[in-house]
Amino acid sequence: MSTAAAYAVAGLVHLVTVALFTGSLLLIVVGFHTVTQPMIGFVVLALALAVRPRVGRLDPDLPTLRPSDAPALFRLLDEVADASGVRHIDTVQFSPAFSVTVSRYGIRRRRCLVLGLPLWVASPPQQRVAAVAQALNRSAPHDIRSGVFVGMALESLTAGLRTLRANGNAYIEWTNDPTAWRAGDVAGGARRINARARSSEWLLWIPRTTMTATARLLLRLTLPATRNRQLEADDTTARTASSKAAIAALDDQRLARAIGMEMHRLVIETKTLSRKGSAAASLPDFWERVARHAAVLRENRDGDRAAGAGAPAPASEGVGDPFDVLRVTRLADHPGRPAAVSLDEAGLSRIADELRSPGQALVAMMLRDGAAPA
C-alpha cells in the first residue's frame, strides 16, 4: 500500500514539473505583448528548472578509475556483482568517507561505485567484499529509492531544495557611526536591500516548504520497501562474503567516527608539523597509519567486550538502532554461510598497487581542503 502511494506521489511530482514547464512557456509566449505575464512566466520557469529531473554526473574532484585502469579491482567487483545477481559497475570513484555507495550518472544511468578509502583500508579483506556486496545489493534496480521513477522524483526534490535553500548572507548589517558621512543614505539603502531579501525569502518559503514536505512523505512511504530491500541485501551479502564478514562489516560501522577523527588529526599534523615541501613524503604511509589505527580500535573494542562480559559479546551488542539490531540478529541466526567470493593475497597485492595513485590523490585533496571528522 505504501509503495503504491509512493509511486502516486512521485507521479504527482513529475506531473507538477511538466505543468510548471508548460505553464511558464505559455505565459511567456502567449502573453509576450504584456509585461506581467512574461515576468510571472520566467519566475515559474525558474521554479520548474529548480525541480527538473537531473542526469547524474561524476564528481570531478574525486579520483576516478575505469576497468582499463584497475583490472584486478574491477575483476573483484564483477565477481561480487555476478554472485549478487546485479549489474556490473562501470566506474569507481574514491572518497574520504567511511562508506561504500553506488551512484548513477549519464542518460544511460551508468553505475559508479563511490568507494570510501578509509573503510577499504581499515577493513580486513573479507569485510571489504561484504561492504561492496552490501552497496551493490542496496542499489539494485528493484530498490524503490534507486529506481528511475521514484528515485528521480527524490533527486529532483533534493536538488530543488538545494537551489532554493535559505541564504542567510543576503542581509546587510549597518552598524557604523551614524555621524559618518552620508551614513543615513547607506543605512537607508541597507534597509531597502534587506526588505527585498525578506520578500524573496517569503516567496521562496512556500515552494521550499512544499518540496520539503513532499520529500519527507516520499521517504516515509518508501521506508518499508527500503527496509525489506535492506534485509534482502544482507542475506545476499552473507551468501557472497559469508555471514561472519557481513556481521563484522555492520559492526565496524561504529568505528567510523574514531577513524574520521584520526584522519583529521593526521591531516592537521601533516599540515602544521611537517616542513615546507615535505608533506608529499607523508603520503605513502597515510593509509597504512589509518589501517593500523583501525586495527588498534578493533582490538580495544574486542578486549573491552571480553573483559566486561567474561565471554564473547552478542553480535548485536552496541548497535543502537532497533532496525540495525534486527539486521545483525538475522545474520547471526545463520552463521555458517560460506563465502562465494574471497580475496587472496595475490589479488590484494594487485588491487593495492592499483589504488596507490588514487590514494595519494585523495590524501593530497584532504591536505588541500581538510578532512572533516565523521
Side-chain angles (χ1 to χ4, degrees):
M1 184 65 181
S2 61
T3 300
Y7 274 100
V9 173
L12 183 61
V13 171
H14 295 311
L15 285 175
V16 169
T17 303
V18 173
L20 288 173
F21 270 110
T22 306
S24 63
L25 293 177
L26 287 175
L27 285 170
I28 295 171
V29 175
V30 176
F32 190 74
H33 60 282
T34 67
V35 176
T36 306
Q37 289 186 27
M39 290 179 62
I40 297 175
F42 281 115
V43 172
V44 176
L45 180 61
L47 182 59
L49 291 173
V51 296
R52 73 190 187 279
R54 262 71 168 183
V55 177
R57 62 183 65 184
L58 297 175
D59 190 331
D61 295 327
L62 298 182
T64 303
L65 291 181
R66 290 182 169 80
S68 59
D69 304 319
L73 174 62
F74 277 86
R75 190 178 305 116
L76 171 66
L77 299 181
D78 290 346
E79 290 178 5
V80 174
D82 291 337
S84 303
V86 298
R87 269 180 55 193
H88 288 189
I89 290 296
D90 300 292
T91 307
V92 175
Q93 290 197 306
F94 299 90
S95 81
F98 194 88
S99 64
V100 184
T101 59
V102 175
S103 63
R104 288 168 175 78
Y105 66 96
I107 297 176
R108 297 175 60 184
R109 291 182 71 80
R110 295 181 181 273
R111 287 158 63 83
C112 173
L113 183 74
V114 184
L115 180 60
L117 264 184
L119 183 147
W120 181 265
V121 301
S123 301
Q126 207 55 31
Q127 286 179 218
R128 301 175 186 180
V129 177
V132 169
Q134 182 66 248
L136 294 182
N137 284 285
R138 273 202 316 267
S139 63
H142 42 281
D143 177 26
I144 186 171
R145 287 185 183 173
S146 300
V148 175
F149 197 74
V150 176
M152 290 194 74
L154 277 170
E155 291 171 7
S156 297
L157 291 170
T158 304
L161 286 171
R162 282 199 299 266
T163 303
L164 302 179
R165 64 184 180 273
N167 185 7
N169 297 324
Y171 299 97
I172 298 177
E173 294 184 5
W174 176 254
T175 57
N176 276 356
D177 185 357
T179 61
W181 183 68
R182 305 200 65 155
D185 294 339
V186 176
R191 283 194 297 271
R192 289 192 294 273
I193 292 174
N194 291 340
R196 294 192 188 101
R198 280 191 291 269
S199 300
S200 300
E201 286 297 320
W202 276 109
L203 288 173
L204 294 177
W205 179 83
I206 297 175
R208 266 204 313 265
T209 303
T210 303
M211 285 189 284
T212 301
T214 306
R216 288 176 178 172
L217 177 60
L218 266 179
L219 290 174
R220 181 178 293 273
L221 291 173
T222 56
L223 183 60
T226 299
R227 285 188 166 178
N228 288 336
R229 180 57 202 153
Q230 182 72 76
L231 296 177
E232 294 174 5
D234 288 340
D235 293 337
T236 307
T237 299
R239 291 194 297 270
T240 303
S242 79
S243 299
K244 181 180 178 181
I247 293 172
L250 287 174
D251 198 24
D252 275 2
Q253 288 297 320
R254 294 183 292 120
L255 302 179
R257 179 166 178 79
I259 291 175
M261 293 291 292
E262 175 65 9
M263 290 172 56
H264 180 69
R265 185 192 69 79
L266 289 174
V267 169
I268 296 299
E269 176 186 279
T270 303
K271 294 179 71 172
T272 57
L273 301 182
S274 297
R275 294 181 180 179
K276 184 178 180 182
S278 65
S282 64
L283 296 181
D285 69 335
F286 182 91
W287 297 114
E288 295 169 2
R289 295 168 71 178
V290 172
R292 289 196 297 268
H293 184 72
V296 171
L297 290 173
R298 199 175 287 110
E299 290 175 4
N300 291 340
R301 180 195 63 192
D302 295 341
D304 290 343
R305 284 177 175 175
S316 60
E317 180 198 327
V319 183
D321 186 90
F323 181 66
D324 290 338
V325 173
L326 172 63
R327 292 174 62 193
V328 174
T329 302
R330 288 180 74 256
L331 290 171
D333 288 341
H334 302 85
R337 290 170 175 166
V341 178
S342 300
L343 262 175
D344 56 18
E345 288 298 327
L348 278 171
S349 178
R350 287 193 294 269
I351 292 175
D353 290 339
E354 294 170 351
L355 300 191
R356 187 167 291 110
S357 177
Q360 292 176 350
L362 199 60
V363 175
M365 185 182 76
M366 289 188 291
L367 288 172
R368 181 194 67 200
D369 302 333

